Amino acid sequence: MSDKATNIKIDSNTIKDIYTNMLRIRFFEEAAINLFENGEIKGTAHSYMGEEAIAASVCQVLNDQDFIASYHRGHGHCIAKGASLDNMMAELMGKETGYCQGLGGSMHIADMNLNIVGANGIVGAAMPLSTGAALASKLRKSGQVAVAFFGDGASNQGIFHESMNLAAIWDLPLVFVCENNQYALSTPYKNTTAISQISARSSSYGIPGVTVDGNNAIEVYLVVRDAIDRARAGEGPTLIEAMTYRWGQHSMRANLRDPRPELEFNEWKKRDPLKLLEDKIYSEKIFTKKDFDELNNSITKEINTAIDFGRQSKEPVFETMLSSVYSPHKYAKEPPNNTDRKLSYTDALNEAMMQEMENDPDVFLMGEDVGETGGIFQVSKGLYDHFGPERVRDTPISEATFTGCGVGAAIAGMRPIVEIQIFDFIALTMDMLVNQAAKFRFMLGGKPTVPLVVRGPQGGGVRLAAQHSQSLEAWFVHVPGLVVVAPSTPYDAKGLLVSAIRDDNPVIFLEQKLLYLGQPEPVPEDLYAIPLGVADIKREGEDITILAISSMVPRSLAAAKVLSRYGISVEVIDPRTLHPLDKDTIIKSVKKTNHLLIVHEACTQGGYGAEISAIVMELAFDYLDAPVVRLGAPHTPMPYNDDLERSVIPSHERIVEEVKKLMDVN
């Protein structure tokens, strides 16, 4: 390919632009190394020196509206896409004028105004995120293309294969660019990769795969141009493997013996991508010696200006950090529920999605078997017939990647609903939820939004045993950046799902399976939203507060009726939203009743009840006449046997016994 590429004429202005960006990247990285050694850049940074031809040539093909997703070695990609050197240098120095206000650092620099969908410290994460951006482009018919940059190590991760498959079956406008610099932190890629060239893996997914000389800027440009044209024409993705060599160690802080043979290292340095392009420029007389000198001086001034800008910038303040975690929740006024029309829990969820998808064309649903079949619990029934396969999308069984695709689509401006078929499978998605969705806004300094809903059935009660019956809400309330919702009634399910879809934060929406089996209840037909973070007093009382979560709400209400025969007046509170939590309503109730029982289906040890107990002990200790009591499952996985399963999940009889014990009533 190299000889052919070298002989193809390219506009001299294009070559000038590519070379200018390559030089800008080189000078920036040289300055970053010096600043790191001087202690002005702390933590670590990953130099792009030696690989400049790839970023500069790829981004030369793109327009301002096209997306790129980068990784930990992302300075070059951002500079080539047009990022400000001032804001980049300030971010490396951890200053408030940095792209991420000092909250992201070297590995997370990105500019959403340039559609840079994040640089990323997680290996391979660029692929599902850019898959989502490409899906957003396809759904909107915007003509945008996405590029995923990643290293050779990422090609051995499952999300590489899942993303390639997803992009191929959906014909997404996406180009995968593997920058094969041939080493992980210290291990040669040939020791970890079963095939000689990563591009060969494209054949498994029926898409083109090309290996190029990543140090030859012209060759990279021509191959990428063809791939971008193909993607923009609706012909689907391409995998490009650019063979290159990084000049530094894995990171500036590696402090390891460099394992690369000296002869190999020196041979690659002789093929300096800047020198190779300079030779072409000289031979074709595109620049004069004076032009080179002027360009060097100009970029040197840019770098010095950026360094001065960073040095003179202020440190970020504590309040900036706190305000960057969540987007403000959108206002909603809860309507009165005075209708006689009744819906089941699943029908209420279905109606929420149906009405909100009609209301907002950016809302779409994807997940396993959500299409024509309506899913195994029939929550999405009828949506496929109404909206078609573009907005109700059946996915492969690849939870990590279709969830990551949802994150990327949300970042790109859509409002995806991702259904997890059984919520135990959420474990497969945790990187995308915890390290991507929850942290994306924060890492970019509180600027972007991630309007994503991840919903599905959790919990037991239907004899699906240990791997299909867990209640996992405690996992998610521990993660800053996630909103967690757990409605207990059809009315709440509809209104809270609408609010979740409209919210600009990633929302974990938990639907306890036992509630799918409940009786229909009144639900207004009109589209309405219930505000997030507002608890509901399901029953007022004077003697004891029961705080019940999700499926434990109807059981607590049943228990309250029984307890009234013993002269015990029970107040039942449903938090509805676990984060943000309505602490005021809980504390006010405890101050009135002086007793608190917390009931949830999850295991008591480490369960969410422990958090509520701690809050009450801190804020209302003096009002308690007895210790806070928690009632949940024992510390055991969910059994299959029906009698044992019933013994694990708190029943209304057990709630009655716990209250009588707490109130010292026989």
Side-chain angles (χ1 to χ4, degrees):
M1 180 69 193
S2 297
D3 292 339
K4 178 183 176 183
T6 303
N7 293 327
I8 295 177
K9 292 291 289 182
I10 297 178
D11 178 77
S12 60
N13 288 327
T14 297
I15 295 176
K16 286 180 183 179
D17 289 343
I18 293 172
Y19 179 79
T20 299
N21 267 329
M22 288 173 64
L23 195 64
R24 189 174 282 122
I25 295 166
R26 174 68 58 85
F27 283 13
F28 183 91
E29 296 292 45
E30 289 175 343
I33 291 169
N34 291 331
L35 292 166
F36 181 82
E37 292 173 348
N38 293 338
E40 293 183 75
I41 293 175
K42 300 177 175 64
T44 192
H46 301 76
S47 176
Y48 199 67
M49 284 178 63
E51 305 180 26
E52 297 90 346
I54 305 170
S57 296
V58 171
C59 291
Q60 184 66 30
V61 182
L62 303 177
N63 62 44
D64 291 343
Q65 297 306 309
D66 290 328
F67 297 98
I68 68 167
S70 182
Y71 62 110
H72 55 270
R73 203 175 304 283
H75 303 165
H77 309 131
C78 291
I79 292 171
K81 192 68 162 66
S84 158
L85 299 187
D86 291 358
N87 298 130
M88 286 186 64
M89 194 63 78
E91 186 59 37
L92 263 64
M93 294 180 179
K95 300 299 183 67
E96 70 170 3
T97 55
Y99 267 117
C100 312
Q101 299 189 82
L103 301 177
S106 170
M107 289 187 285
H108 306 119
I109 292 174
D111 185 346
M112 290 303 298
N113 291 323
L114 298 171
N115 279 342
I116 301 173
V117 191
N120 213 294
I122 304 298
V123 172
M127 288 179 277
L129 296 183
S130 57
T131 300
L135 175 59
S137 172
K138 181 167 184 173
L139 289 173
R140 287 176 161 170
K141 298 179 173 58
S142 64
Q144 295 160 288
V145 171
V147 172
F149 290 102
F150 57 98
D152 47 280
S155 71
N156 290 322
Q157 292 208 324
I159 54 174
F160 167 84
H161 299 278
E162 292 181 13
S163 297
M164 293 266 287
N165 182 60
L166 197 65
I169 62 174
W170 287 351
D171 287 325
L172 296 182
L174 177 60
V175 177
F176 296 91
V177 177
C178 176
E179 298 181 334
N180 188 345
N181 63 27
Q182 304 178 60
Y183 285 84
L185 193 146
S186 61
T187 307
Y189 94 98
K190 292 181 180 178
N191 291 3
T192 61
T193 306
I195 56 176
S196 59
Q197 297 300 154
I198 290 163
S199 62
R201 288 177 166 161
S202 66
S203 61
S204 299
Y205 306 101
I207 67 173
V210 185
T211 297
V212 299
D213 178 0
N215 285 20
N216 185 327
I218 303 303
E219 180 176 341
V220 174
Y221 174 82
L222 291 171
V223 171
V224 170
R225 187 178 65 182
D226 288 346
I228 295 296
D229 288 346
R230 183 175 181 275
R232 220 181 290 281
E235 297 175 15
T238 301
L239 170 62
I240 297 171
E241 177 187 22
M243 302 302 294
T244 187
Y245 206 83
R246 67 170 193 259
W247 283 15
Q249 289 205 41
H250 169 71
S251 75
M252 297 178 194
R253 197 176 181 169
N255 295 325
L256 297 173
R257 181 187 67 81
D258 195 328
R260 298 174 294 181
E262 184 176 359
L263 178 61
E264 175 188 277
F265 186 89
N266 290 335
E267 287 299 315
W268 273 98
K269 286 200 76 170
K270 288 178 185 177
R271 300 194 69 256
D272 179 351
L274 273 164
K275 181 67 168 58
L276 292 177
L277 192 54
E278 283 174 9
D279 291 345
K280 180 175 180 62
I281 289 170
Y282 271 124
S283 68
E284 298 188 7
K285 298 180 181 180
I286 296 171
F287 276 8
T288 65
K289 177 67 167 63
K290 181 182 178 182
D291 292 332
F292 274 112
D293 291 342
E294 289 178 351
L295 182 60
N296 273 265
N297 291 335
S298 174
I299 294 177
T300 298
K301 288 180 182 178
E302 289 181 34
I303 300 298
N304 290 335
T305 298
I307 293 171
D308 290 341
F309 178 80
R311 285 171 173 164
Q312 294 167 14
S313 297
K314 295 179 181 179
E315 301 287 336
V317 297
F318 194 76
E319 290 73 20
T320 297
M321 176 183 70
L322 295 180
S323 65
S324 297
V325 182
Y326 290 94
S327 287
H329 299 299
K330 296 185 177 179
Y331 175 76
K333 184 176 181 180
E334 184 171 349
N337 188 10
N338 51 13
T339 182
D340 293 328
R341 190 186 76 124
K342 292 184 178 182
L343 290 180
S344 68
Y345 192 90
T346 54
D347 286 343
L349 293 168
N350 180 276
E351 187 167 87
M353 290 190 288
M354 177 75 76
Q355 292 180 343
E356 197 60 9
M357 289 175 74
E358 288 177 336
N359 182 58
D360 185 348
D362 287 337
V363 179
F364 70 97
L365 172 68
M366 64 177 172
E368 297 160 2
D369 303 304
V370 298
E372 291 181 272
T373 63
I376 61 173
F377 291 102
Q378 294 292 288
V379 178
S380 62
K381 63 180 183 295
L383 296 180
Y384 181 92
D385 294 337
H386 195 79
F387 297 103
E390 287 292 291
R391 293 183 66 194
V392 182
R393 306 183 76 89
D394 282 322
T395 66
I397 303 175
S398 52
E399 287 87 356
T401 292
F402 70 68
T403 300
C405 180
V407 178
I411 292 167
M414 302 295 286
R415 293 189 174 273
I417 306 167
V418 174
E419 179 176 306
I420 304 298
Q421 191 173 75
I422 300 289
F423 227 72
D424 306 64
F425 306 162
I426 202 76
L428 298 165
T429 77
M430 289 301 274
D431 176 58
M432 286 297 128
L433 292 177
V434 174
N435 286 322
Q436 305 305 324
K439 294 182 174 64
F440 191 83
R441 174 180 168 83
F442 181 84
M443 291 189 305
L444 269 67
K447 298 170 187 174
T449 59
V450 189
L452 166 73
V453 176
V454 178
R455 49 154 293 272
Q458 77 158 6
V462 294
R463 295 195 66 194
L464 292 181
Q467 293 179 335
H468 289 67
S469 304
Q470 297 168 91
S471 295
L472 301 170
E473 62 270 6
W475 287 7
F476 304 108
V477 293
H478 184 70
V479 178
L482 296 179
V483 173
V484 185
V485 180
S488 68
T489 68
Y491 168 78
D492 290 343
K494 178 179 175 179
L496 287 169
L497 183 53
V498 170
S499 283
I501 294 168
R502 295 178 181 178
D503 201 59
D504 285 332
N505 299 288
V507 179
I508 306 298
F509 197 92
L510 303 170
E511 304 157 14
Q512 216 78 5
K513 295 190 197 79
L514 285 169
L515 297 171
Y516 287 172
L517 307 176
Q519 294 299 311
E521 296 182 21
V523 176
E525 186 172 0
D526 292 340
L527 182 62
Y528 64 93
I530 295 175
L532 301 175
V534 178
D536 188 32
I537 300 174
K538 298 297 187 186
R539 177 187 174 111
E540 294 190 355
E542 302 294 329
D543 298 327
I544 184 171
T545 300
I546 297 180
L547 188 140
I549 295 172
S550 192
S551 62
M552 294 297 102
V553 172
R555 295 190 176 196
S556 295
L557 290 170
K561 289 182 180 180
V562 175
L563 289 162
S564 66
R565 303 172 197 159
Y566 294 87
I568 300 173
S569 175
V570 178
E571 182 149 293
V572 178
I573 294 180
D574 177 2
R576 300 195 293 191
T577 305
L578 306 185
H579 188 85
L581 178 67
D582 184 355
K583 299 177 185 177
D584 292 342
T585 296
I586 298 168
I587 297 302
K588 183 178 179 181
S589 178
V590 170
K591 286 181 177 180
K592 177 177 69 172
T593 66
N594 312 120
H595 298 86
L596 176 62
L597 172 67
I598 304 166
V599 188
H600 54 58
E601 186 178 324
C603 298
T604 304
Q605 182 172 320
Y608 188 57
E611 176 66 18
I612 297 173
S613 176
I615 291 170
V616 171
M617 295 295 282
E618 291 168 4
L619 300 180
F621 177 79
D622 290 340
Y623 293 86
L624 290 169
D625 290 343
V628 174
V629 174
R630 292 173 292 147
L631 175 60
H635 202 62
T636 177
M638 191 67 70
Y640 169 69
N641 176 270
D642 52 349
D643 289 335
L644 290 176
E645 184 180 47
R646 281 192 291 271
S647 72
V648 166
I649 301 172
S651 63
H652 82 274
E653 291 89 353
R654 284 178 60 196
I655 297 171
V656 168
E657 292 305 312
E658 287 293 335
V659 170
K660 289 169 63 179
K661 189 189 307 180
L662 182 59
M663 302 298 293
D664 197 22
V665 172
N666 294 321

